């Protein structure tokens, strides 16, 4: 008889514990009693916009710093690919210093242009819809960056090109490029090289910014330390990622 009672008590205890676990889960999901409150659509979009603005500001700050492109192997802007034969030939002929000066000023120009990147990205953030927000939140670690690539690349190029052109002029990169091409094109029997230096630098500078933005996005998604505001911590730390109706 005692063993029967003991078994009954054990079953009852297990039932109670199971019920408590289910109740706790319900409390946490519903937000009753101080559990994690469901996220509203406004909170999700606000959190994503905060994350993207924070990431964009960091990316722009990194790129525009001294050596942001020049000293970063991932962002470094090398001699235009179609003109590598120009670089090699000029170095062989003793014009290595001219080539080095050109590459340095090319990267410095990108660093200067990157100073205007944050407002451009910020404007793009404001165009994000609620549907975009949830797709980005539930997407891969670079979903937001790919969203920007898909929707704003053409506009960013149009905005960046005059800035890049002015920066190249200010840092004398255009003059160096013209000198290099003229030196090369004087060589007998070579095929003349014509490269749109502004377009090339604009593309490379934009690609570099997207790369940095992608790194920042992944960090915010994966590293709690990078979530520097309450809304970032709520959105990216939330267990369900479901909006309240």
């Amino acid at each position: 008889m005692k063993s029967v009672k003991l078994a009954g008590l054990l079953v009852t205890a297990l039932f109670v514990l199971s019920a408590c676990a289910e109740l706790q889960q319900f409390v946490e999901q519903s937000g009753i009693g101080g559990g994690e409150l469901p996220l509203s659509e406004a909170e999700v979009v606000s959190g994503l916009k905060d994350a993207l603005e924070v990431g964009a500001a960091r990316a722009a700050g990194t790129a525009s710093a001294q050596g942001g492109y020049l000293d970063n192997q991932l962002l470094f802007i090398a001699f235009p690919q179609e003109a590598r034969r120009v670089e090699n030939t000029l170095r062989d002929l003793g014009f290595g210093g001219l080539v080095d000066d050109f590459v340095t000023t090319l990267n410095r120009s990108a660093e200067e242009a990157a100073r205007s990147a944050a407002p451009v990205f910020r404007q793009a953030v404001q165009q994000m819809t609620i549907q975009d927000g949830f797709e980005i939140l539930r997407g891969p670690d670079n979903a937001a960056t790919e969203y920007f690539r898909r929707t704003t690349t053409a506009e960013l190029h149009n905005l960046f090109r005059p800035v890049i052109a002015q920066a190249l002029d200010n840092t004398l990169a255009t003059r160096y490029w013209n000198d290099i091409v003229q030196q090369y094109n004087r060589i007998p029997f070579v095929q003349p090289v014509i490269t749109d230096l502004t377009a090339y630098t604009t593309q490379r500078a934009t690609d570099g910014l997207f790369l940095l933005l992608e790194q920042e996005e992944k960090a915010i998604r994966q590293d709690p330390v990078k979530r520097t505001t309450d809304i970032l911590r709520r959105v990216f730390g939330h267990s369900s990622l479901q909006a309240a109706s």
Side-chain angles (χ1 to χ4, degrees):
M1 180 65 67
K2 290 183 179 181
S3 62
V4 173
K5 290 183 179 180
L6 181 61
L9 291 173
L10 180 59
V11 171
T12 301
L14 291 173
F15 176 80
V16 171
L17 290 174
S18 176
C20 288
E22 292 179 359
L23 178 61
Q24 179 63 28
Q25 182 179 7
F26 172 77
V27 169
E28 292 177 352
Q29 291 179 348
S30 64
I32 298 173
E36 187 183 56
L37 292 173
L39 290 168
S40 68
E41 291 181 343
E43 285 178 312
V44 170
V45 175
S46 176
L48 281 170
K49 288 184 176 181
D50 276 2
L52 295 177
E53 288 192 12
V54 168
R58 288 174 179 164
T62 299
S64 62
Q66 183 83 0
Y69 282 83
L70 185 64
D71 299 332
N72 188 328
Q73 292 183 352
L74 294 177
L75 273 62
F76 178 75
I77 302 177
F79 224 81
Q81 182 65 40
E82 66 273 17
R84 292 293 169 82
R85 64 183 184 275
V86 178
E87 177 182 8
N88 295 334
T89 300
L90 290 177
R91 288 190 185 279
D92 290 342
L93 294 176
F95 295 103
L98 183 63
V99 173
D100 290 338
D101 287 341
F102 166 73
V103 172
T104 297
T105 55
L106 194 67
N107 284 271
R108 294 288 185 232
S109 299
E111 292 163 8
E112 182 176 340
R115 297 174 186 173
S116 63
V120 175
F121 280 119
R122 190 178 305 116
Q123 181 180 3
V125 167
Q126 301 308 315
Q127 299 173 354
M128 188 177 68
T129 67
I130 291 176
Q131 181 178 353
D132 292 330
F134 281 103
E135 290 177 355
I136 291 170
L137 184 63
R138 296 177 178 130
D141 287 345
N142 66 340
T145 305
E146 289 304 309
Y147 164 80
F148 281 125
R149 286 186 185 277
R150 184 176 67 253
T151 60
T152 66
T153 294
E155 181 180 0
L156 286 172
H157 278 193
N158 290 336
L159 293 172
F160 271 58
R161 186 178 176 91
V163 177
I164 290 287
Q166 185 62 52
L168 291 175
D169 289 339
N170 289 344
T171 56
L172 302 180
T174 302
R175 193 195 74 183
Y176 281 124
W177 174 249
N178 290 335
D179 290 345
I180 289 172
V181 171
Q182 288 174 9
Q183 290 282 356
Y184 179 81
N185 287 343
R186 289 195 187 107
I187 300 174
F189 309 113
V190 300
Q191 181 179 354
V193 172
I194 301 176
T195 298
D196 187 336
L197 188 61
T198 300
Y200 167 75
T201 309
T202 298
Q203 182 66 52
R204 290 298 306 274
T206 305
D207 288 345
L209 284 169
F210 278 127
L211 178 60
L212 290 175
L213 183 58
E214 184 176 278
Q215 292 176 340
E216 291 295 340
E217 180 187 356
K218 288 181 179 180
I220 290 173
R221 287 177 183 269
Q222 298 174 0
D223 186 357
V225 175
K226 296 289 186 178
R227 302 167 194 163
T228 55
T229 66
D230 289 338
I231 191 64
L232 283 180
R233 286 186 285 271
R234 284 211 66 207
V235 170
F236 290 97
H238 201 277
S239 59
S240 65
L241 304 182
Q242 294 179 353
S245 57

